[in-house]
Amino acid sequence: MLSLIDVTAGYGDSTVLRDVTLHVPDHSVVALLGANGAGKTTLLRVASGLLRPSSGQIMMDDIDVTRLRPHELGQLGLCHVPEGRGVFRKLTVRENLQLFSSQLGRADGLERVAQAFPRLAARLNQVAGTMSGGEQQMLALARAYLTQPRVVLLDEVSMGLAPKLVDEIFAFLIRLSRDGCAMLLVEQFATKALAIADYACLLVQGRLADVGEPVDIAASDLAASYLGEALAAG
Ligand SMILES: Nc1ncnc2c1ncn2[C@@H]1O[C@H](COP(=O)(O)OP(=O)(O)OP(=O)(O)O)[C@@H](O)[C@H]1O
Ligand SMILES: [Mg+2]
């Protein structure tokens, strides 16, 4: 459903991604792996319309969306959960969720979130900026959940979180995937990402070095040489 075709992109004069072709099929989870600085965040930014590629195409289904803006891609069912947190820090959890729900014209947003994230349900009146990092990350994910996206781009959503929260977040990702949402998942815990992925891609210095079944990528020497610690840590 989401494809990058021969994408080259970068910042100013520096090229980061070179001729990257990558497909995220309907209902599938694709893990995007690579060392620090390989270009994973850049790839997600290109896919979500935040960064224009210098050449190549972005397709959603059969539509060329290369020149669309992020909100237009959102209307087509794409949701980007960026590195860091996309929440309104001064509003309460309830207000954050109401804002997302009303944008979507849905009245049942709070109930849906309460079911998926009991931890947030217990904090509806708390100002978002005073929640722990992990709780704020959950609120950002709850937003993705409410928009009922067809494909979600997730950039290190478990970054810096305690193991218990990481597990909760992965449980949620599995649930989102079971609901039929496709995912492109960038994750520091490579092993955890591979465990829920249908396909895996390895980015090495901005080029797609390997694509395949998660078990094959996990066992490859190439992945081990770039992701040694991340594979061991999962
Ligand atoms: N706004 C920017 N301006 C200039 N260069 C940038 C910018 N953002 C990223 N880069 C450079 O692009 C390259 C790829 O960065 P990117 O953030 O995509 O890597 P990454 O794979 O997400 O790394 P990490 O695992 O550390 O998050 C890096 O060399 C980085 O310094
Ligand atoms: Mg990154």
Side-chain angles (χ1 to χ4, degrees):
M1 77 145 303
L2 173 70
S3 298
L4 281 75
I5 301 163
D6 287 333
V7 163
T8 293
Y11 305 93
D13 290 339
S14 83
T15 299
V16 175
L17 298 175
R18 291 172 200 274
D19 300 323
V20 172
T21 295
L22 182 153
H23 302 286
V24 183
D26 269 327
H27 311 298
S28 64
V29 178
V30 177
L32 176 62
L33 308 176
N36 293 127
K40 305 179 296 294
T41 295
T42 302
L43 191 152
L44 296 193
R45 297 188 74 226
V46 169
S48 67
L50 289 169
L51 182 68
R52 280 273 159 85
S54 49
S55 64
Q57 274 180 306
I58 320 293
M59 304 287 291
M60 271 180 83
D61 300 321
D62 295 329
I63 309 169
D64 184 338
V65 297
T66 316
R67 310 209 75 78
L68 295 194
R69 294 170 190 280
H71 73 273
E72 295 169 319
L73 286 163
Q75 286 161 359
L76 292 175
L78 181 137
C79 175
H80 182 197
V81 182
E83 231 172 353
R85 286 153 202 135
V87 304
F88 294 102
R89 295 175 52 83
K90 293 196 171 156
L91 301 184
T92 64
V93 171
R94 185 193 305 278
E95 287 163 346
N96 264 282
L97 294 172
Q98 281 168 342
L99 202 61
F100 303 141
S101 308
S102 67
Q103 278 170 357
L104 298 165
R106 300 187 61 115
D108 62 345
L110 282 181
E111 290 92 273
R112 291 185 65 228
V113 166
Q115 267 189 354
F117 296 98
R119 197 183 277 264
L120 284 182
R123 298 182 175 275
L124 287 177
N125 296 322
Q126 189 167 343
V127 175
T130 65
M131 291 201 299
S132 76
E135 290 161 353
Q136 289 184 46
Q137 196 61 269
M138 284 202 166
L139 184 54
L141 286 174
R143 182 185 135 218
Y145 183 57
L146 281 182
T147 59
Q148 289 190 301
R150 292 182 58 211
V151 56
V152 189
L153 314 177
L154 297 150
D155 200 350
E156 313 236 23
V157 288
S158 69
M159 175 89 107
L161 305 188
K164 188 164 182 301
L165 273 176
V166 174
D167 289 345
E168 283 182 34
I169 281 183
F170 269 86
F172 168 70
L173 296 183
I174 290 167
R175 177 178 182 144
L176 199 59
S177 161
R178 288 208 182 117
D179 286 350
C181 180
M183 272 180 230
L184 182 54
L185 182 60
V186 172
E187 185 45 61
Q188 56 171 339
F189 295 108
T191 308
K192 279 190 187 292
L194 289 170
I196 68 168
D198 301 298
Y199 306 97
C201 315
L202 178 66
L203 205 56
V204 176
Q205 293 177 2
R207 288 184 189 276
L208 211 56
D210 208 352
V211 182
E213 301 271 325
V215 281
D216 296 333
I217 299 287
S220 74
D221 291 343
L222 193 60
S225 69
Y226 287 100
L227 302 168
E229 276 178 40
L231 284 173

